[in-house]
Amino acid sequence: MLGFIINLLITALVVFLCAKFLKGISVKSYWSACIVALVLAVLNALASWLLGLLGLPAWGSGLIAFAINLCINACLIMVADRLLSGFKVDGFKWALCLALICALVSSVLGGVI
């Protein structure tokens, strides 16, 4: 449970910092970024469940699986943009940038934590 909370806080920090440095992403406050992180976690869990239900849980490994996962996460970021008023992403390109940065930070910190 603590790992989940730490993951949420790290994702919120990444969203908040990306909003500060990338012009295509905006978030009202760190609290809004925390809500974004929570919504993304729920959407990701639902998407994983749905893909598993459809029989598509294993994409394999390697670069193609990473690219597919990245595109799915970018789509989920676009859905979060539609659901939340304090979070704005100006198109799929920016959602893909945010998804890539989140994946890189998660990968780096996943080895540390």
Side-chain angles (χ1 to χ4, degrees), residues 16-75:
F16 186 73
L17 290 176
C18 283
K20 293 291 182 195
F21 295 108
L22 299 176
K23 68 178 181 175
I25 300 169
S26 63
V27 68
K28 279 186 180 178
S29 65
Y30 184 73
W31 177 249
S32 294
C34 289
I35 301 295
V36 170
L38 184 60
V39 167
L40 286 176
V42 170
L43 289 173
N44 202 353
L46 288 173
S48 297
W49 176 79
L50 184 60
L51 290 174
L53 191 63
L54 294 173
L56 303 171
W59 295 103
S61 62
L63 190 57
I64 293 174
F66 178 75
I68 291 170
N69 194 18
L70 200 61
C71 289
I72 290 171
N73 284 335
C75 290

Side-chain angles (χ1 to χ4, degrees), residues 93-110:
K93 173 181 73 170
W94 294 108
L96 198 58
C97 287
L98 180 58
L100 179 62
I101 293 169
C102 284
L104 292 174
V105 169
S106 177
S107 174
V108 168
L109 292 180

Side-chain angles (χ1 to χ4, degrees), residues 72-90:
I72 290 171
N73 284 335
C75 290
L76 295 179
I77 289 169
M78 296 296 293
V79 170
D81 170 37
R82 300 283 180 162
L83 293 175
L84 301 171
S85 61
F87 177 58
K88 181 74 176 130
V89 179
D90 295 335

